[in-house]
Amino acid sequence: MHFNAETSFDGVLERSFTLGDITGVLFSPESGPVLGAPLLLSGHSGGMHKRAPGLVASAQHLVTTRGYTVAAIDAPGHGDRPRNARDREWVEALHAARAAGESMDQIITDYNTSLAERAVPEWQATIDALQALPDIGADVPIGYGGTTLGVVIGLMLATAEPRIAAAAFGPVLAFDAVIEAARQLTIPVEFTISWDDSEIGRQPGLRLFDACASVDKALHVYPGRHQQMSAFMADNHARFFDNHLGWAGVPAI
Protein backbone atom coordinates (compact mmCIF):
# COMPACT_ATOMS: atom_id res chain seq x y z
CA MET A 1 0.00 0.00 0.00
CA HIS A 2 1.46 3.33 -1.08
CA PHE A 3 0.12 6.65 0.22
CA ASN A 4 0.55 9.30 -2.45
CA ALA A 5 -1.37 12.37 -1.21
CA GLU A 6 -2.98 13.69 1.92
CA THR A 7 -5.24 16.57 2.90
CA SER A 8 -7.00 17.57 6.10
CA PHE A 9 -10.28 19.35 6.71
CA ASP A 10 -12.32 19.96 9.87
CA GLY A 11 -10.35 17.43 11.89
CA VAL A 12 -10.29 14.68 9.27
CA LEU A 13 -7.13 13.45 7.57
CA GLU A 14 -7.68 12.04 4.05
CA ARG A 15 -4.88 9.91 2.63
CA SER A 16 -5.05 8.65 -0.96
CA PHE A 17 -3.44 5.28 -1.59
CA THR A 18 -2.78 2.70 -4.26
CA LEU A 19 -2.46 -1.04 -3.84
CA GLY A 20 -1.49 -2.54 -7.17
CA ASP A 21 -4.31 -1.45 -9.49
CA ILE A 22 -6.58 -0.52 -6.58
CA THR A 23 -7.11 3.17 -5.82
CA GLY A 24 -8.48 4.20 -2.45
CA VAL A 25 -8.69 6.72 0.34
CA LEU A 26 -8.35 6.41 4.11
CA PHE A 27 -10.20 8.81 6.42
CA SER A 28 -8.91 9.12 9.98
CA PRO A 29 -8.72 11.66 12.80
CA GLU A 30 -6.29 14.48 12.02
CA SER A 31 -5.11 14.35 15.62
CA GLY A 32 -4.13 10.69 15.27
CA PRO A 33 -5.87 7.32 15.62
CA VAL A 34 -8.28 6.74 18.50
CA LEU A 35 -7.09 3.68 20.40
CA GLY A 36 -9.28 0.67 19.64
CA ALA A 37 -11.49 2.49 17.14
CA PRO A 38 -13.13 0.23 14.54
CA LEU A 39 -12.37 0.26 10.82
CA LEU A 40 -15.35 0.84 8.55
CA LEU A 41 -15.22 -0.14 4.88
CA SER A 42 -17.40 2.06 2.67
CA GLY A 43 -18.73 0.89 -0.71
CA HIS A 44 -19.79 3.58 -3.18
CA SER A 45 -22.84 3.55 -5.46
CA GLY A 46 -22.76 2.50 -9.10
CA GLY A 47 -21.31 5.17 -11.36
CA MET A 48 -19.72 6.95 -8.38
CA HIS A 49 -16.28 6.66 -6.75
CA LYS A 50 -14.34 6.61 -3.48
CA ARG A 51 -14.84 10.35 -2.94
CA ALA A 52 -18.53 10.58 -3.79
CA PRO A 53 -20.08 13.44 -1.77
CA GLY A 54 -22.37 11.23 0.30
CA LEU A 55 -19.61 8.76 1.08
CA VAL A 56 -17.23 11.54 2.15
CA ALA A 57 -19.89 13.18 4.33
CA SER A 58 -20.60 9.87 6.05
CA ALA A 59 -16.90 9.16 6.55
CA GLN A 60 -16.30 12.61 8.05
CA HIS A 61 -19.26 12.11 10.40
CA LEU A 62 -17.97 8.73 11.60
CA VAL A 63 -14.44 10.04 12.08
CA THR A 64 -15.30 13.23 13.94
CA THR A 65 -18.23 12.06 16.09
CA ARG A 66 -17.18 8.44 16.71
CA GLY A 67 -13.41 8.26 16.15
CA TYR A 68 -13.70 5.62 13.43
CA THR A 69 -11.21 5.03 10.63
CA VAL A 70 -12.99 4.72 7.26
CA ALA A 71 -11.60 3.22 4.04
CA ALA A 72 -13.06 3.41 0.53
CA ILE A 73 -11.78 2.05 -2.75
CA ASP A 74 -12.85 2.60 -6.34
CA ALA A 75 -14.76 -0.35 -7.78
CA PRO A 76 -13.30 -1.72 -11.03
CA GLY A 77 -13.84 0.79 -13.85
CA HIS A 78 -14.89 3.56 -11.44
CA GLY A 79 -13.18 6.69 -10.18
CA ASP A 80 -9.48 6.63 -11.02
CA ARG A 81 -9.69 3.16 -12.59
CA PRO A 82 -10.26 2.84 -16.35
CA ARG A 83 -13.11 0.71 -17.66
CA ASN A 84 -12.32 -2.35 -19.73
CA ALA A 85 -14.08 -2.95 -23.05
CA ARG A 86 -16.87 -5.06 -21.55
CA ASP A 87 -17.56 -2.49 -18.85
CA ARG A 88 -17.85 0.22 -21.51
CA GLU A 89 -20.42 -1.89 -23.36
CA TRP A 90 -22.52 -2.26 -20.19
CA VAL A 91 -22.36 1.47 -19.47
CA GLU A 92 -23.37 2.35 -23.03
CA ALA A 93 -26.26 -0.11 -22.79
CA LEU A 94 -27.40 1.51 -19.53
CA HIS A 95 -27.37 4.97 -21.09
CA ALA A 96 -29.28 3.73 -24.13
CA ALA A 97 -31.92 1.95 -22.04
CA ARG A 98 -32.42 5.00 -19.82
CA ALA A 99 -32.78 7.31 -22.83
CA ALA A 100 -35.32 4.96 -24.40
CA GLY A 101 -37.28 4.54 -21.18
CA GLU A 102 -36.57 0.79 -21.15
CA SER A 103 -35.85 -1.48 -18.19
CA MET A 104 -32.22 -1.47 -17.06
CA ASP A 105 -32.63 -4.32 -14.57
CA GLN A 106 -30.89 -7.08 -16.54
CA ILE A 107 -28.02 -4.83 -17.57
CA ILE A 108 -27.51 -3.72 -13.96
CA THR A 109 -27.68 -7.34 -12.82
CA ASP A 110 -24.98 -8.52 -15.24
CA TYR A 111 -22.75 -5.49 -14.78
CA ASN A 112 -22.94 -5.37 -10.98
CA THR A 113 -22.38 -9.11 -10.65
CA SER A 114 -19.20 -8.82 -12.70
CA LEU A 115 -18.03 -5.79 -10.71
CA ALA A 116 -18.66 -7.53 -7.37
CA GLU A 117 -16.82 -10.69 -8.40
CA ARG A 118 -13.78 -8.56 -9.20
CA ALA A 119 -14.11 -6.24 -6.21
CA VAL A 120 -14.31 -8.87 -3.46
CA PRO A 121 -10.67 -10.04 -3.71
CA GLU A 122 -9.61 -6.40 -4.04
CA TRP A 123 -11.34 -5.53 -0.79
CA GLN A 124 -9.74 -8.54 0.90
CA ALA A 125 -6.29 -7.41 -0.25
CA THR A 126 -7.09 -3.92 1.01
CA ILE A 127 -8.10 -5.26 4.44
CA ASP A 128 -4.80 -7.19 4.61
CA ALA A 129 -2.82 -4.03 3.80
CA LEU A 130 -4.80 -1.84 6.22
CA GLN A 131 -4.36 -4.29 9.08
CA ALA A 132 -0.61 -4.17 8.48
CA LEU A 133 -0.58 -0.43 9.25
CA PRO A 134 0.57 0.37 12.80
CA ASP A 135 -2.30 2.82 13.40
CA ILE A 136 -4.92 0.16 12.53
CA GLY A 137 -3.58 -3.28 13.43
CA ALA A 138 -4.70 -6.86 12.95
CA ASP A 139 -7.22 -6.96 15.81
CA VAL A 140 -9.35 -3.96 14.87
CA PRO A 141 -13.11 -4.70 14.58
CA ILE A 142 -14.33 -4.20 11.01
CA GLY A 143 -17.70 -3.16 9.60
CA TYR A 144 -18.97 -2.52 6.09
CA GLY A 145 -21.48 0.00 4.75
CA GLY A 146 -22.70 0.59 1.20
CA THR A 147 -25.56 1.44 -1.12
CA THR A 148 -26.64 0.16 -4.59
CA LEU A 149 -23.43 -1.27 -6.14
CA GLY A 150 -21.82 -1.05 -2.71
CA VAL A 151 -24.49 -3.40 -1.37
CA VAL A 152 -23.86 -6.02 -4.06
CA ILE A 153 -20.14 -5.93 -3.39
CA GLY A 154 -20.64 -5.80 0.39
CA LEU A 155 -22.98 -8.79 0.52
CA MET A 156 -20.61 -10.96 -1.47
CA LEU A 157 -17.64 -9.69 0.54
CA ALA A 158 -19.29 -10.22 3.92
CA THR A 159 -20.20 -13.82 3.10
CA ALA A 160 -16.62 -14.54 1.97
CA GLU A 161 -14.71 -12.52 4.59
CA PRO A 162 -14.97 -13.54 8.28
CA ARG A 163 -13.17 -10.37 9.44
CA ILE A 164 -16.31 -8.30 8.75
CA ALA A 165 -18.38 -8.32 11.94
CA ALA A 166 -21.39 -6.15 10.97
CA ALA A 167 -22.83 -4.51 7.85
CA ALA A 168 -25.28 -1.74 6.97
CA PHE A 169 -26.84 -1.74 3.51
CA GLY A 170 -28.86 0.85 1.64
CA PRO A 171 -31.19 0.36 -1.33
CA VAL A 172 -30.22 -2.11 -4.06
CA LEU A 173 -31.77 -4.01 -6.96
CA ALA A 174 -32.28 -7.49 -5.46
CA PHE A 175 -31.38 -9.91 -8.26
CA ASP A 176 -30.66 -13.63 -7.76
CA ALA A 177 -26.95 -13.37 -6.88
CA VAL A 178 -27.72 -10.73 -4.24
CA ILE A 179 -30.52 -12.81 -2.72
CA GLU A 180 -28.27 -15.88 -2.62
CA ALA A 181 -25.56 -13.90 -0.83
CA ALA A 182 -28.13 -12.60 1.68
CA ARG A 183 -29.19 -16.18 2.44
CA GLN A 184 -25.61 -16.90 3.52
CA LEU A 185 -25.23 -13.77 5.66
CA THR A 186 -25.30 -14.40 9.41
CA ILE A 187 -23.58 -11.32 10.90
CA PRO A 188 -25.61 -8.43 12.39
CA VAL A 189 -27.00 -6.36 9.52
CA GLU A 190 -29.08 -3.24 9.08
CA PHE A 191 -31.03 -2.51 5.90
CA THR A 192 -32.54 0.80 4.81
CA ILE A 193 -35.21 1.38 2.19
CA SER A 194 -36.01 4.67 0.47
CA TRP A 195 -39.80 4.56 0.29
CA ASP A 196 -40.27 6.87 -2.70
CA ASP A 197 -37.44 5.69 -4.96
CA SER A 198 -38.74 5.27 -8.52
CA GLU A 199 -35.48 3.69 -9.77
CA ILE A 200 -35.19 0.87 -7.24
CA GLY A 201 -38.54 0.80 -5.48
CA ARG A 202 -39.51 -0.71 -2.15
CA GLN A 203 -39.95 -4.37 -2.98
CA PRO A 204 -36.28 -5.27 -3.66
CA GLY A 205 -35.28 -4.07 -0.19
CA LEU A 206 -38.12 -5.97 1.47
CA ARG A 207 -37.20 -9.09 -0.48
CA LEU A 208 -33.55 -8.76 0.51
CA PHE A 209 -34.38 -8.29 4.18
CA ASP A 210 -36.60 -11.34 4.14
CA ALA A 211 -33.88 -13.45 2.48
CA CYS A 212 -31.12 -12.44 4.90
CA ALA A 213 -30.22 -15.34 7.22
CA SER A 214 -28.99 -13.10 10.05
CA VAL A 215 -30.87 -13.49 13.31
CA ASP A 216 -29.79 -9.99 14.34
CA LYS A 217 -31.18 -7.85 11.52
CA ALA A 218 -33.12 -4.60 11.32
CA LEU A 219 -35.02 -2.75 8.61
CA HIS A 220 -35.39 1.05 8.50
CA VAL A 221 -37.52 3.02 6.06
CA TYR A 222 -37.13 6.70 5.21
CA PRO A 223 -39.02 8.97 2.79
CA GLY A 224 -37.51 10.12 -0.49
CA ARG A 225 -35.04 8.60 -2.93
CA HIS A 226 -31.84 6.70 -2.18
CA GLN A 227 -29.78 9.90 -2.62
CA GLN A 228 -31.80 11.66 0.09
CA MET A 229 -30.94 9.84 3.31
CA SER A 230 -31.49 12.09 6.32
CA ALA A 231 -28.96 13.04 9.00
CA PHE A 232 -31.05 10.93 11.39
CA MET A 233 -30.34 7.81 9.35
CA ALA A 234 -26.60 8.61 9.32
CA ASP A 235 -26.67 8.77 13.13
CA ASN A 236 -28.64 5.53 13.22
CA HIS A 237 -25.97 3.77 11.14
CA ALA A 238 -23.28 5.09 13.49
CA ARG A 239 -25.12 3.73 16.53
CA PHE A 240 -25.58 0.39 14.78
CA PHE A 241 -21.84 0.05 14.23
CA ASP A 242 -21.07 1.25 17.77
CA ASN A 243 -23.29 -1.48 19.19
CA HIS A 244 -22.10 -4.33 17.01
CA LEU A 245 -18.40 -3.48 16.82
CA GLY A 246 -18.11 -2.99 20.57
CA TRP A 247 -17.35 0.73 20.46
CA ALA A 248 -18.39 3.57 22.75
CA GLY A 249 -18.45 6.17 19.96
CA VAL A 250 -15.58 8.31 21.27
CA PRO A 251 -15.35 11.63 19.35
CA ALA A 252 -12.04 12.25 17.60
CA ILE A 253 -12.25 16.04 18.07
Side-chain angles (χ1 to χ4, degrees), residues 26-38:
L26 188 65
F27 303 88
S28 57
E30 185 180 15
S31 58
V34 178
L35 183 64

Side-chain angles (χ1 to χ4, degrees), residues 168-201:
F169 297 128
V172 68
L173 185 65
F175 49 87
D176 288 347
V178 172
I179 294 298
E180 182 55 35
R183 288 174 177 150
Q184 301 175 47
L185 192 67
T186 57
I187 61 174
V189 62
E190 180 179 74
F191 295 92
T192 59
I193 295 177
S194 47
W195 200 246
D196 305 305
D197 198 320
S198 59
E199 280 190 43
I200 297 176

